[in-house]
Amino acid sequence: MSRVWNFSAGPAALPQAVLERAQREMLDWNGSGASVMEQSHRGKRFIEMAARAEADLRSLLAVSADYAVLFLQGGATQHFAQIPMNLADAGDSADYIVSGHWSEKAVSEAAPYLRVNVAASGEAGHYLALPPRESWQLDPQAAYVHYTPNETIHGVEFHDIPEVGAVPLVADMSSNILSEPLDVSRFGLIYAGAQKNIGPSGLVVMIIRRDLLQRAGRPMARIFRYAEHAAHDSMLNTPNTWGWYLAGLTFQWLQEQGGVAAIGERNRAKAELLYRSIDGSGGYYRNPVEPSARSRMNVPFTLHDAALDAAFLKESETAGLLALKGHKAVGGMRASLYNAVPPEAVQVLTAFMRDFAQRHG
Amino acid sequence: MSRVWNFSAGPAALPQAVLERAQREMLDWNGSGASVMEQSHRGKRFIEMAARAEADLRSLLAVSADYAVLFLQGGATQHFAQIPMNLADAGDSADYIVSGHWSEKAVSEAAPYLRVNVAASGEAGHYLALPPRESWQLDPQAAYVHYTPNETIHGVEFHDIPEVGAVPLVADMSSNILSEPLDVSRFGLIYAGAQKNIGPSGLVVMIIRRDLLQRAGRPMARIFRYAEHAAHDSMLNTPNTWGWYLAGLTFQWLQEQGGVAAIGERNRAKAELLYRSIDGSGGYYRNPVEPSARSRMNVPFTLHDAALDAAFLKESETAGLLALKGHKAVGGMRASLYNAVPPEAVQVLTAFMRDFAQRHG
């Protein structure tokens, strides 16, 4: 067994303690004599586990009873489409803030279902900064305002929740949920693909204000209605039981770490260490993002000479540093620093970066 | 470690060898130093594994190049809706054969998207028999004919593929895929929730004839289009990577068992043993299904006196026989005998049933 330092943007590193527990329980979960994957989701054992996972998530983020918590499938991408299906009529419009690749995707999947108003976009600036709140052209009649608090490819992050008045704020938090304390009451709907800060892929966690479940939405099958999923405790059909279980273990692990306040401090320190190493490299490494918009979760950086990229990737892999290759849209490198990436990983990475710069000066 | 004999209707038993391998590889998969859940689905290792899983499934069922194989999410229930969205225009109709609970569900989820013609139904006979092929009122203009080859709750199964002419035949094979040899060329589309014969829940495997990918379907988001999933090797967005991996291990296990011909023999023998025990119990146990329609996968049965149900469930659980409680729609007991349920499990069950009958005679 030799575990690497895993900087994957997603599916991403999981807490090693969670993996070890899942490993131990693989053939005999909870005294049942069978794997958690081999249990009916309608059985007493599974229902208790599922309810505890929800309770732990509610506790971690202080989610009030005004919100339903759903465990769904389809990835955030499916919900790019399903959110407008549920929250809007065909004649409605919604405001979208475009701050990078994922908010672009959210727009294109929503477009068949309503009139998308791009209320602000960072595209002209190559998504190296966030469109300032005062530039947003919001429509007070919009069905909702959608934004992406953290963009994994461009490495930009909103560090404050934007004020949007009475229109419900909808956030794709796939890449930053549970990474720091959050005032859930500011949102109408929060959703997140699990595969970054929660668990394995194939699971989506949604926190939705109950009044939004009353919206009629479009004519559609029952399986697409969030209100139906809420009414059936996310067991309208068979859920991703393994994903739900791993999410529950991750929530317990987060509590053991001291909750989102403690993990938030740790995440801030991890990101600061890496940005400091980049900025202090005398131009050897570079992160092009406007400092106030830099992501704590995803840190893209380039080498001063792209001809060194291949050597950097090869040597970093040999040094036990996994998945540092940047997304093709921006090139270079990227280190993702989600909750399960320990501080040691960033120390090893920054030491490697210094060493690499010296050897390939 | 004490593993039970698991008769769950789904999520159901997985092959123990598959679980043991997944357990071994949990923290360090394929020499990567990380779990399979912690890998990018766009990485070389994952793509190779995914391609091998598809190739193994193609080999097991002799799937020709005329068909695409997709690894999707949402459960069969989502595809009850997504299939009409993809295969039909709003003005089209499709023929549905209703043979139990799951085909009823398929009808209700399809109804918002096209005109459903219930071409035959076993409802009047309480789904204890299958509507005879000659009674089906098929429409030669139908977009497709949908049926459910095996019904898990009512315990009825089609033992031959119905002839439906030129209209594409669509089958929800969630509960009997890979349980015996299959002539895939008779179908337009086969789909299956994984959690019975393939792997964990949260994964849907689909085999779709490529000409059907050309159908325009309804206006909808790209994420709902099967053609898009096919064009992107089921990685249009992040797939359920754990489910795909477990499915691949199960396909390898099936090959080691001798493929679907060998597992088909084994499944037939398992079901015969149980039905023989029921029929030979002098009325102590009863299965009400018309013999030619009896399912090899799901065997519902009642005790001659329902007052004994609680004792039967308690004692069977003590004897290490899990999940024998019948579905509330039909009551009594149910033993599901999917691929991963070994013959020994049925021997232990039938011995227990004999013993129980003697003690509670």
Side-chain angles (χ1 to χ4, degrees):
Chain A
M1 174 63 50
S2 68
R3 292 271 293 171
V4 295
W5 304 114
N6 187 354
F7 298 96
S8 176
L14 292 164
Q16 182 156 333
V18 165
L19 290 172
E20 285 167 350
R21 177 153 169 200
Q23 183 179 45
R24 278 197 306 276
E25 300 179 341
M26 176 68 81
L27 278 88
D28 183 9
W29 173 68
N30 204 1
S32 66
S35 162
V36 66
M37 292 182 279
E38 301 175 295
Q39 316 269 332
S40 170
H41 54 295
R42 309 212 185 271
K44 188 166 172 287
R45 278 193 182 84
F46 189 84
I47 287 175
E48 281 176 6
M49 183 285 292
R52 179 172 174 191
E54 178 181 332
D56 286 346
L57 176 61
R58 285 183 178 275
S59 161
L60 281 163
L61 290 178
V63 181
S64 84
D66 295 340
Y67 292 79
V69 172
L70 307 180
F71 291 81
L72 304 170
Q73 298 186 53
T77 305
Q78 181 173 315
H79 297 276
F80 292 165
Q82 216 170 318
I83 287 167
M85 285 161 64
N86 275 270
L87 298 192
D89 288 327
D92 287 346
S93 76
D95 290 340
Y96 277 73
I97 311 306
V98 178
S99 54
H101 176 83
W102 291 106
S103 31
E104 281 181 356
K105 284 266 202 189
V107 164
S108 66
E109 296 294 310
Y113 302 106
L114 46 44
R115 206 154 35 78
V116 170
N117 172 42
V118 175
S121 171
E123 190 184 6
H126 307 285
Y127 299 125
L128 298 176
L130 294 165
R133 172 65 190 84
E134 57 273 20
S135 72
W136 298 10
Q137 301 291 315
L138 296 180
D139 171 8
Q141 302 304 315
Y144 56 87
V145 180
H146 183 282
Y147 84 123
T148 311
N150 184 71
E151 288 277 358
T152 58
I153 293 177
H154 295 90
V156 293
E157 183 177 13
F158 286 87
H159 296 292
D160 295 295
I161 303 169
E163 177 54 52
V164 296
V167 175
L169 184 60
V170 173
D172 170 10
M173 290 203 184
S174 296
S175 54
N176 69 343
I177 193 168
L178 290 166
S179 69
E180 63 182 351
L182 182 70
D183 182 358
V184 170
S185 73
R186 300 280 304 276
F187 295 88
L189 189 161
I190 292 165
Y191 64 114
Q195 66 269 20
K196 293 155 201 294
N197 266 332
I198 294 177
S201 62
L203 180 75
V204 168
V205 171
M206 181 173 288
I207 303 172
I208 180 169
R209 221 173 55 208
R210 291 190 194 277
D211 63 294
L212 296 178
L213 296 172
Q214 307 304 318
R215 292 198 181 178
R218 299 170 62 93
M220 59 183 149
R222 192 167 169 243
I223 192 68
F224 292 125
R225 288 201 184 278
Y226 296 141
E228 293 284 347
H229 286 280
H232 292 83
D233 296 326
S234 304
M235 298 196 196
L236 183 56
N237 67 332
T238 313
N240 177 339
T241 58
W242 173 257
W244 199 328
Y245 158 73
L246 262 271
L249 294 186
T250 303
F251 300 153
Q252 288 177 40
W253 173 84
L254 255 178
Q255 289 175 321
E256 290 158 15
Q257 305 305 302
V260 288
I263 209 82
E265 283 304 306
R266 206 172 94 165
N267 286 332
R268 203 175 41 75
K270 281 152 52 185
E272 277 178 11
L273 173 59
L274 181 51
Y275 283 117
R276 217 163 42 231
S277 297
I278 293 166
D279 294 342
S281 69
Y284 196 93
Y285 302 107
R286 261 183 219 170
N287 168 283
V289 175
E290 204 262 296
S292 70
R294 281 175 165 180
S295 168
R296 298 162 308 122
M297 295 285 106
N298 312 94
V299 182
F301 60 93
T302 51
L303 277 67
H304 71 102
D305 179 357
L308 290 167
D309 284 4
F312 186 93
L313 284 169
K314 187 157 181 243
E315 293 183 28
S316 60
E317 199 169 317
T318 305
L321 300 159
L322 188 74
L324 285 168
K325 189 172 182 183
H327 191 276
K328 60 181 187 292
V330 297
M333 308 297 147
R334 172 174 52 173
S336 293
L337 309 179
Y338 303 121
N339 287 352
V341 175
E344 295 85 331
V346 187
Q347 288 156 14
V348 174
L349 170 61
T350 52
F352 170 82
M353 288 167 70
R354 273 191 307 275
D355 180 60
F356 184 89
Q358 279 175 357
R359 286 184 293 104
H360 297 270
Chain B
M1 173 62 50
S2 67
R3 291 272 293 171
V4 295
W5 304 113
N6 187 353
F7 298 96
S8 175
L14 292 164
Q16 183 156 334
V18 165
L19 290 172
E20 285 166 351
R21 177 153 170 202
Q23 183 179 45
R24 278 197 305 277
E25 300 179 342
M26 177 66 80
L27 278 87
D28 182 10
W29 173 67
N30 204 1
S32 66
S35 162
V36 67
M37 291 181 279
E38 300 175 297
Q39 316 269 332
S40 170
H41 55 294
R42 309 212 185 272
K44 187 165 172 286
R45 279 194 182 85
F46 189 84
I47 287 175
E48 282 175 6
M49 184 286 294
R52 175 166 177 197
E54 178 181 333
D56 286 345
L57 176 62
R58 286 183 177 276
S59 160
L60 282 163
L61 291 178
V63 181
S64 84
D66 295 340
Y67 292 80
V69 172
L70 307 180
F71 292 79
L72 305 170
Q73 298 186 52
T77 305
Q78 182 173 315
H79 297 276
F80 293 165
Q82 216 170 318
I83 287 167
M85 284 160 64
N86 275 271
L87 298 193
D89 288 326
D92 288 345
S93 76
D95 290 339
Y96 278 72
I97 311 305
V98 178
S99 54
H101 176 83
W102 291 105
S103 29
E104 281 181 356
K105 285 265 204 190
V107 164
S108 66
E109 295 294 310
Y113 301 105
L114 46 44
R115 206 153 37 77
V116 170
N117 172 40
V118 175
S121 171
E123 191 185 4
H126 305 287
Y127 300 125
L128 298 176
L130 294 165
R133 172 65 189 84
E134 56 274 18
S135 72
W136 298 10
Q137 302 291 314
L138 295 179
D139 170 8
Q141 303 304 316
Y144 56 87
V145 180
H146 183 282
Y147 84 122
T148 312
N150 184 71
E151 287 277 359
T152 56
I153 293 177
H154 295 90
V156 293
E157 183 176 13
F158 286 86
H159 295 292
D160 296 294
I161 302 168
E163 177 54 52
V164 296
V167 176
L169 184 60
V170 173
D172 169 10
M173 289 202 185
S174 297
S175 53
N176 69 342
I177 194 167
L178 291 165
S179 69
E180 64 183 348
L182 182 70
D183 183 357
V184 170
S185 73
R186 300 281 304 277
F187 295 88
L189 190 162
I190 291 165
Y191 65 113
Q195 66 269 21
K196 294 155 198 298
N197 266 332
I198 294 177
S201 61
L203 179 75
V204 167
V205 171
M206 181 173 288
I207 303 171
I208 179 167
R209 220 172 57 208
R210 291 189 195 278
D211 64 294
L212 296 178
L213 296 172
Q214 307 304 318
R215 293 199 181 177
R218 299 169 63 92
M220 58 183 151
R222 191 166 169 242
I223 190 68
F224 292 125
R225 288 201 184 277
Y226 296 142
E228 293 284 347
H229 286 280
H232 293 82
D233 296 328
S234 304
M235 297 194 197
L236 183 57
N237 67 332
T238 313
N240 178 337
T241 58
W242 173 257
W244 199 327
Y245 158 72
L246 262 270
L249 294 185
T250 302
F251 300 154
Q252 289 177 38
W253 173 83
L254 254 178
Q255 290 175 320
E256 290 158 15
Q257 306 304 303
V260 288
I263 209 82
E265 284 304 306
R266 204 172 95 164
N267 286 333
R268 205 175 40 73
K270 280 153 54 185
E272 277 177 10
L273 174 58
L274 181 50
Y275 283 117
R276 217 160 44 230
S277 297
I278 293 167
D279 295 343
S281 69
Y284 196 93
Y285 302 107
R286 263 186 216 166
N287 169 283
V289 175
E290 206 261 296
S292 70
R294 282 175 164 179
S295 167
R296 299 162 306 122
M297 294 286 106
N298 311 94
V299 182
F301 61 93
T302 51
L303 277 67
H304 72 101
D305 179 357
L308 290 166
D309 284 5
F312 186 94
L313 285 169
K314 187 157 180 241
E315 293 183 27
S316 61
E317 200 170 316
T318 304
L321 300 160
L322 188 74
L324 285 169
K325 190 174 183 182
H327 191 277
K328 61 182 186 293
V330 297
M333 308 295 146
R334 172 174 52 174
S336 293
L337 310 178
Y338 303 120
N339 287 351
V341 175
E344 295 84 330
V346 187
Q347 288 155 16
V348 173
L349 170 61
T350 52
F352 170 82
M353 287 167 70
R354 272 193 306 277
D355 180 59
F356 184 89
Q358 279 175 355
R359 287 184 292 103
H360 297 270

